[in-house]
């Protein structure tokens, strides 16, 4: 890893450090641990578990459970996620798939009217939109198989916060305002998340005693505390009374699946990312394979942006056509991530004009809300995890007495394969609804490894997740550090609709004009998107860095044992060395 744009003095210092340390440090001797999450209380929970002798996996359990308490609009016990793990002792890497599953009574046309028209709100609001949650099973699985601490210890910070309460922030208010009418439909959810039917003020304490008790049941009985017994009974009763289709059997049957991550390379970098039922790893590796055939550093910005957009377009086309739950459909992962396929895609790209996206399947609509965290401990164990309940506050439905806000991840299936949905998008047959099936995801927890260092990164953001991680990897490959990856202005193309979406500041006026000349249709977004959390172990430089997206309210922290558990690292300054941030 080289950080370009470091001053000459600092370059010299970096070289001296490399020479003086002679060999890269072993995996068991990182100078510090690091955690970046979307909420300061979740970062603190992770550090507290590390300080009690826990490893990165224990910290991941603590962070997952705590995010579910303090970021209820993004993830939680009622949702799912993917946890990408690296065990330092033997280099073992695995993805824990805790994605939600469709209930057994779900069927392909469940969101269609008799006339075959998509009923949009039914897959978004209320209990019919909820898949069977995976987070509780994943918590137990990760703690038991990979952690060093008892599950009960790692869940303690979340239990305390659920009981004690957390303070409403402007972000909370924005999300609750967006989902106010849906939250009002669920008395239990409204009682917890609203203040007498209105969006609470900043600083108002959200207390969740029922959620605290459910977390305690998991602490005491593992997954059985959720999928069996009184909590399971209350979940099923609440869902069915409100018109949902869950059964006790659905909950009993839920299991996490360990899957081989998708891997690939880009120049000197090894990429390890999420495998199906996420589309993230496959799409990322495809895009990087395509782009590896071009000299991105040597071309003008307009050509560079054009090539990246074209690579996004082609990979998202594959996504729509081929990707779904590999336990239900054959997913040609090897072919899609192979060089031959990339060579073929590259030949479809013209340097002098944008490709017109034809009317082929595209990704289903995904919520912009989800959460990512990245952890590395002092032994070199790592976790990249992206968690979701889909839309802000998920389905906005909470079965009484459970404190569990249910996801609306069923909306990530194609409600009507092959036909446009309410957003003007169409989804692939591979992602049609079936009992027990996992909906296609874009969540892309990722490791990027090289001789020089190891990055752990990811972000929420629905279908834009993959393109954000791509831009982050390209920025890393260009020699910049995590502060830059999380902050850089973003652009996105997902095949259809055939537009380049871009954040304010991502494409300057001359670049926009040149892209339009090439035939690209541009869509300027009024706001910014994503909430990337990244940590980086700079092996050669002997430092650990962490960064949290300035778009969010997260906290990145580099923790050395001797500094105690609370050593926040100011933005732009990590390990005493200023890092420069540069846009795309
Ligand atoms: N619900 C967002 C995703 O899984 O991609």
């Amino acid at each position: 890893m080289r950080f370009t744009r470091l001053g000459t003095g600092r370059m010299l210092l970096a070289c001296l450090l490399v020479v003086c340390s002679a060999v890269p440090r072993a995996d068991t001797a990182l100078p510090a641990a690091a955690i970046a999450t979307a909420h300061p209380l979740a970062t603190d929970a992770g550090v507290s578990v590390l300080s009690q002798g826990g490893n990165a996996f224990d910290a991941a359990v603590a962070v997952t459970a705590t995010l579910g308490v303090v970021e209820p609009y993004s993830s939680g016990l009622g949702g799912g996620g993917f946890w990408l793990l690296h065990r330092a002792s033997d280099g073992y890497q695995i993805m824990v798939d805790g994605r939600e599953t469709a209930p057994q009574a779900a069927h392909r046309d469940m969101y269609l009217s008799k006339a075959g028209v998509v009923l949009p709100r039914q897959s978004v609001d209320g209990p019919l939109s909820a898949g069977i949650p995976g987070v509780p099973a994943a918590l137990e699985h990760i703690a038991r198989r990979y952690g060093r601490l008892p599950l009960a210890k790692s869940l303690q910070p979340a239990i305390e916060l659920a009981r004690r309460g957390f303070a409403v922030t402007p972000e909370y208010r924005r999300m609750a305002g967006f989902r106010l009418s849906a939250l009002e439909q669920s008395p239990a959810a409204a009682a917890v998340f609203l203040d007498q039917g209105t969006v609470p003020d900043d600083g108002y304490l959200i207390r969740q005693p029922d959620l605290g008790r459910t977390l305690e049941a998991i602490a005491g009985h593992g997954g059985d505390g959720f999928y069996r017994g009184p909590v399971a009974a209350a979940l099923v009763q609440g869902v069915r009374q409100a018109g949902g289709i869950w059964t006790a059997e659905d909950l009993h049957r839920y299991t996490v699946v360990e899957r081989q991550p998708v891997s690939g390379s880009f120049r000197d970098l090894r990429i390890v990312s999420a495998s199906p039922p996420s589309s993230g790893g496959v799409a990322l590796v495809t895009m990087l394979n395509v782009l590896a055939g071009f000299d991105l550093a040597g071309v003008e910005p307009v050509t560079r942006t054009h090539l990246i957009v074209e690579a996004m377009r082609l990979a998202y086309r594959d996504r729509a056509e081929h990707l779904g739950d590999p336990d239900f459909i054959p997913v040609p992962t090897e072919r899609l991530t192979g060089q031959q396929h990339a060579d073929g895609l590259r030949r479809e790209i013209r340097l002098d004009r944008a490709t017109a996206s034809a009317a082929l399947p595209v990704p289903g609509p995904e919520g912009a809300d989800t959460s990512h965290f990245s952890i590395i401990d002092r032994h070199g164990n790592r976790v990249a995890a992206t968690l979701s309940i889909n839309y802000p506050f998920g389905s906005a439905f909470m079965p009484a007495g459970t404190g569990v806000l249910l996801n609306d991840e069923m909306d990530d299936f194609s409600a009507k394969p092959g036909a446009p949905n309410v957003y003007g998008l169409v989804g692939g047959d591979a992602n049609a609804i079936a009992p027990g099936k996992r909906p296609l995801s874009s969540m892309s927890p990722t490791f990027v490894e090289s001789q020089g260092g190891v990055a752990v990164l990811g972000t929420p953001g629905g279908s834009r997740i993959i393109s954000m991680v791509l831009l982050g990897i390209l920025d890393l490959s260009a020699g910049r550090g995590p502060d830059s990856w999380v902050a850089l202005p973003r652009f996105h193309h997902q095949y259809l609709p055939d537009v380049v979406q871009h954040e304010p500041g991502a494409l300057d006026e001359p670049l926009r004009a040149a892209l339009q000349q090439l035939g690209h249709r541009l869509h300027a977004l009024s706001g910014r998107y994503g909430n990337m959390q990244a940590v980086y172990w700079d092996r050669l430089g002997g430092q650990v860095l962490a960064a949290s997206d300035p778009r969010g309210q997260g906290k990145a922290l580099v923790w050395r044992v001797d500094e105690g558990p609370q050593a926040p690292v100011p933005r732009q300054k990590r390990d005493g060395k200023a890092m420069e941030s540069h846009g795309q």
Side-chain angles (χ1 to χ4, degrees):
M1 177 73 187
R2 73 209 139 84
F3 291 122
T4 54
R5 311 198 194 200
L6 287 178
T8 318
R10 269 191 280 142
M11 283 293 258
L12 265 177
L13 179 65
C15 294
L16 278 174
L17 273 173
V18 173
V19 173
C20 291
S21 21
V23 286
R25 289 163 190 266
D27 269 9
T28 47
L30 270 70
I35 301 186
T37 86
H39 199 290
L41 292 170
T43 301
D44 294 346
V47 173
S48 137
V49 161
L50 289 181
S51 72
Q52 293 172 61
N55 60 18
F57 311 120
D58 298 306
V61 169
V63 170
T64 300
T66 303
L67 283 172
V69 174
V70 300
E71 245 203 347
Y73 40 83
S74 289
S75 69
L77 290 184
F82 299 118
W83 292 255
L84 186 64
L85 313 182
H86 169 93
R87 187 168 59 199
S89 57
D90 56 2
Y92 179 71
Q93 297 187 323
I94 200 76
M95 182 184 88
V96 175
D97 169 358
R99 183 74 163 160
E100 299 88 339
T101 53
Q104 289 302 310
H107 58 91
R108 189 183 168 101
D109 298 334
M110 64 187 280
Y111 300 117
L112 300 185
S113 72
K114 284 203 176 78
V117 177
V118 176
L119 302 166
R121 299 316 303 177
Q122 296 207 356
S123 62
V124 177
D125 299 334
L128 202 59
S129 65
I132 305 302
V135 165
L139 291 173
E140 179 187 358
H141 182 85
I142 294 167
R144 197 163 273 174
R145 188 165 292 189
Y146 301 102
R148 288 167 59 175
L149 299 181
L151 178 63
K153 193 160 238 179
S154 301
L155 292 183
Q156 202 50 40
I159 292 171
E160 274 169 28
L161 279 164
R163 274 206 216 105
R164 213 172 56 222
F166 71 92
V168 164
T169 61
E171 181 69 357
Y172 181 101
R173 288 176 49 76
R174 194 170 68 83
M175 296 295 190
F178 179 66
R179 292 294 272 153
L180 182 59
S181 58
L183 286 166
E184 283 168 350
Q185 303 306 310
S186 170
V192 172
F193 298 119
L194 302 178
D195 178 10
Q196 295 174 19
T198 61
V199 175
D201 291 335
D202 283 351
Y204 177 92
L205 274 192
I206 302 290
R207 292 200 175 90
Q208 303 174 78
D210 286 342
L211 179 61
R213 277 187 287 276
T214 298
L215 281 163
E216 274 171 350
I218 297 170
H221 306 283
D224 282 354
F226 183 91
Y227 297 99
R228 291 171 187 273
V231 172
L235 288 168
V236 171
Q237 190 188 17
V239 163
R240 295 190 77 86
Q241 265 177 3
I245 56 174
W246 287 17
T247 63
E249 184 65 16
D250 285 323
L251 289 169
H252 295 176
R253 286 166 80 130
Y254 187 87
T255 53
V256 296
V257 182
E258 288 211 336
R259 301 190 192 273
Q260 272 312 114
V262 168
S263 60
S265 59
F266 180 69
R267 313 216 194 284
D268 61 336
L269 305 175
R270 178 169 183 264
I271 314 299
V272 183
S273 190
S275 47
S278 174
S279 55
V282 170
L284 264 180
V285 170
T286 304
M287 292 187 285
L288 290 165
N289 284 344
V290 168
L291 292 171
F294 298 103
D295 175 15
L296 290 182
V299 295
E300 290 301 307
V302 61
T303 305
R304 180 172 186 275
T305 310
H306 168 70
L307 292 172
I308 294 170
V309 166
E310 292 297 304
M312 289 175 180
R313 181 200 308 274
L314 293 167
Y316 275 88
R317 181 182 65 181
D318 282 352
R319 177 202 193 275
E321 190 173 341
H322 298 292
L323 295 187
D325 183 344
D327 295 339
F328 282 73
I329 55 140
V331 179
T333 300
E334 261 183 55
R335 182 174 72 74
L336 296 177
T337 57
Q339 292 303 332
Q340 214 179 340
H341 182 61
D343 293 344
L345 294 180
R346 212 178 294 115
R347 281 194 290 273
E348 293 185 40
I349 298 176
R350 288 188 53 157
L351 287 177
D352 61 342
R353 70 162 191 241
T355 312
S357 293
L360 287 177
V362 293
E366 291 146 321
D369 291 287
T370 290
S371 197
H372 178 87
F373 66 84
S374 296
I375 301 180
I376 190 162
D377 69 20
R378 291 200 61 192
H379 304 281
N381 298 307
R382 311 172 216 148
V383 181
T386 313
L387 318 169
S388 181
I389 53 170
N390 204 28
Y391 275 46
F393 287 92
S395 64
F397 177 76
M398 178 185 284
T402 66
V404 179
L405 185 64
L406 302 188
N407 68 85
D408 55 357
E409 220 74 63
M410 292 293 287
D411 197 62
D412 274 353
F413 281 117
S414 306
K416 188 177 180 183
N421 62 23
V422 280
Y423 300 96
L425 300 174
V426 291
D429 202 52
N431 191 30
I433 303 169
K437 192 175 176 184
R438 286 157 147 89
L440 184 60
S441 172
S442 297
M443 293 189 287
S444 311
T446 298
F447 301 145
V448 184
E449 304 166 345
S450 71
Q451 284 284 88
V454 168
V456 182
L457 74 158
T459 179
S463 61
R464 297 182 190 131
I465 289 174
I466 310 169
S467 61
M468 284 187 263
V469 175
L470 173 76
L471 296 179
I473 294 173
L474 293 175
D475 202 45
L476 181 159
S477 166
R480 287 182 279 271
D483 271 334
S484 175
W485 319 334
V486 302
L488 61 86
R490 295 166 177 149
F491 57 90
H492 170 78
H493 195 294
Q494 59 178 42
Y495 188 55
L496 286 176
D498 190 354
V499 291
V500 182
Q501 304 171 27
H502 59 95
E503 285 188 325
L507 311 171
D508 62 24
E509 171 49 32
L511 188 49
R512 291 203 298 275
L515 288 170
Q516 280 167 330
Q517 280 283 317
L518 287 172
H520 291 287
R521 284 172 52 218
L522 305 183
H523 175 64
L525 300 168
S526 54
R528 305 175 83 196
Y529 61 86
N531 193 6
M532 185 172 280
Q533 310 295 326
V535 303
Y536 183 68
W537 173 28
D538 176 6
R539 241 192 288 240
L540 296 180
Q543 59 178 344
V544 177
L545 311 169
S548 185
D549 200 316
R551 296 163 183 80
Q553 57 179 8
K555 175 171 161 180
L557 193 142
V558 174
W559 180 63
R560 292 180 200 79
V561 178
D562 48 353
E563 286 180 343
Q566 302 297 323
V569 179
R571 194 172 292 288
Q572 305 301 327
K573 202 163 186 291
R574 306 279 184 256
D575 281 16
K577 181 180 277 193
M579 292 296 306
E580 294 180 30
S581 286
H582 297 279
Q584 186 52 40

